[in-house]
Amino acid sequence: MKLKTKQLTCVVLLCFMCFFNQSFGQSKDYSEWYLRTPDSLDVYNQDIYVREMGTGKDTVVVIHGGFGANHEYMLDAIQGLEDRYHFVLYDQRGSLLSPGPKEKLTFQKNVADLDLLIRQLGTGKVKIMAHSMGTLVAMEYLSQHPEKVSNLVLVGAIPAKSDSMIGVFSKRTEDQLKFLASRPEVKALPIYKRYKELKGNFTSDRERSDFNRMSYAASNIYKIDRYKLMKGGFHYYKEDASVMSETVNWKYDYRKFLNDNAKTTFIFGDHDFLDFNGEVHQELMKNYKNIKFRLIKSAGHNIWIDQPEIFRKELENALKR
């Protein structure tokens, strides 16, 4: 009886929220819904948050980074192409809008969610655009379902070949992160000078938040004066989801799949903390002629903030191949 009462209370509360809270409504610019998974991550079985937008004919599934980030920061990456494509963004399991218990957060379940989403879309072959750790999900998906992907766009990607996790996130990566965080352009910012002046003891929460955003942006963009455009991080990031990295088989080689089974394009910033100038990526890809690699100058991991016009052009070219 107590269980039934609790369930009824939850239903009544949900109905109340749906009726009165505008955040549950649909925008004229996009629609949102929840994908159910076999293992029920949520008490309402609303497991994976999905947002659809754009009026174009071809479907592009957008996979955010993380693990544990949120899809919303990718909205800026596709801005300006909404009239040419039908974009489908989603929060991966364990992320902000798709929470789940740790024991259900595995890499293969994450990949299976993507397949379930694509099957529900019912559009046949799709184009996939992925960023950062999301590129690992995309590459694994292509290796399992090569018949379902036409174009694959990998932005700020994890390398297509790996022998170990340490090889992917190497000392070189660590050194590049340190360089980005300590460069003169960062130290010249007023908020950084304020931080040094106060020895980190901000009395204003606004200033503290501004400094934290700048610190987060320093690793991810090259033009640090644009740090206020940086979205995500902090409360948009769910650290528990990082447990999925423990279930990745870090000894892999996706290059043949990328070369033979999809029109694959890597888009990389020359100051991406993962691989400055894309040196490792280009060396790995040199014998795979069907894979395109596009390097964008004066750009970091989130290229669309540094070079929005150039990135948009490269993205559209990659999707049109």
Side-chain angles (χ1 to χ4, degrees):
M1 184 66 181
K2 287 184 178 180
L3 180 58
K4 287 184 178 180
T5 302
K6 184 177 180 181
Q7 289 174 334
L8 180 59
T9 302
C10 287
V11 170
V12 171
L13 179 59
L14 180 62
C15 291
F16 182 85
M17 290 171 69
C18 288
F19 188 78
F20 287 98
N21 191 335
Q22 292 299 312
S23 67
F24 280 83
Q26 297 290 299
S27 164
K28 66 178 182 179
D29 298 321
Y30 66 88
S31 62
E32 55 186 358
W33 51 281
Y34 281 89
L35 177 73
R36 294 186 298 171
T37 66
D39 45 358
S40 299
L41 302 176
D42 179 81
V43 66
Y44 304 112
N45 208 200
Q46 295 182 331
D47 299 331
I48 305 297
Y49 173 88
V50 181
R51 176 189 291 213
E52 296 188 58
M53 60 188 297
T55 56
K57 180 183 70 173
D58 293 339
T59 296
V60 181
V61 177
V62 181
I63 309 175
H64 65 73
F67 302 116
N70 168 256
H71 79 278
E72 291 188 16
Y73 80 93
M74 293 297 291
L75 293 172
D76 289 344
I78 60 175
Q79 189 174 27
L81 298 177
E82 299 92 338
D83 61 338
R84 296 169 217 181
Y85 295 97
H86 164 227
F87 289 104
V88 181
L89 304 95
Y90 70 104
D91 266 26
Q92 296 167 48
R93 65 170 56 209
S95 299
L96 182 66
L97 300 177
S98 303
K102 266 189 172 183
E103 63 270 17
K104 294 184 179 180
L105 304 183
T106 71
F107 181 63
Q108 288 303 329
K109 284 182 182 292
N110 194 355
V111 175
D113 293 340
L114 175 57
D115 186 50
L116 184 60
L117 172 60
I118 289 173
R119 282 191 281 127
Q120 288 236 358
L121 292 172
T123 55
K125 280 194 172 187
V126 299
K127 302 173 188 287
I128 292 178
M129 171 195 177
H131 179 241
S132 196
M133 283 295 282
T135 62
L136 194 61
V137 177
M139 290 188 288
E140 176 65 18
Y141 183 76
L142 178 66
S143 74
Q144 294 183 19
H145 304 281
E147 76 286 355
K148 295 185 178 181
V149 182
S150 61
N151 295 58
L152 188 60
V153 186
L154 304 171
V155 183
I158 302 298
K161 181 182 182 298
S162 165
D163 294 318
S164 67
M165 187 176 181
I166 294 174
V168 173
F169 302 104
S170 63
K171 185 180 185 303
R172 179 171 176 258
T173 301
E174 184 180 333
D175 290 342
Q176 288 166 170
L177 281 167
K178 288 179 180 177
F179 168 81
L180 290 169
S182 60
R183 55 198 153 126
E185 294 87 348
V186 172
K187 295 178 179 179
L189 291 171
I191 190 62
Y192 184 89
K193 292 179 178 179
R194 181 69 171 158
Y195 167 80
K196 297 298 287 185
E197 176 190 337
L198 298 175
K199 297 181 180 179
N201 297 314
F202 288 110
T203 56
S204 163
D205 290 336
R206 180 178 295 168
E207 283 187 325
R208 183 181 294 106
S209 297
D210 192 43
F211 178 79
N212 288 340
R213 182 177 301 279
M214 184 277 296
S215 300
Y216 175 54
S219 301
N220 288 284
I221 63 175
Y222 180 69
K223 297 183 178 181
I224 192 59
D225 57 308
R226 300 185 178 184
Y227 76 89
K228 290 182 184 291
L229 299 177
M230 190 77 191
K231 293 181 179 177
F234 306 105
H235 291 299
Y236 286 88
Y237 173 70
K238 293 301 178 185
E239 189 174 0
D240 282 355
S242 65
V243 73
M244 280 192 281
S245 63
E246 298 174 10
T247 58
V248 172
N249 178 3
W250 289 100
K251 188 174 178 61
Y252 62 76
D253 188 348
Y254 294 119
R255 291 175 296 178
K256 192 174 189 312
F257 291 103
L258 300 179
N259 188 76
D260 297 348
N261 298 113
K263 296 170 184 175
T264 302
T265 305
F266 284 79
I267 305 178
F268 223 81
D270 66 343
H271 282 80
D272 190 311
F273 69 85
L274 286 170
D275 182 18
F276 276 11
N277 294 308
E279 292 175 5
V280 171
H281 284 72
Q282 294 189 74
E283 178 65 25
L284 287 173
M285 244 76 73
K286 66 182 181 181
N287 295 322
Y288 294 84
K289 304 305 180 185
N290 292 332
I291 301 174
K292 288 189 178 293
F293 186 90
R294 306 298 296 168
L295 187 70
I296 297 179
K297 297 292 186 181
S298 301
H301 194 54
N302 290 31
I303 310 169
W304 55 90
I305 296 178
D306 289 309
Q307 300 285 7
E309 294 83 10
I310 297 174
F311 176 78
R312 188 177 302 113
K313 181 179 178 181
E314 293 291 356
L315 175 58
E316 186 168 20
N317 287 341
L319 292 172
K320 287 194 302 188
R321 284 182 64 193

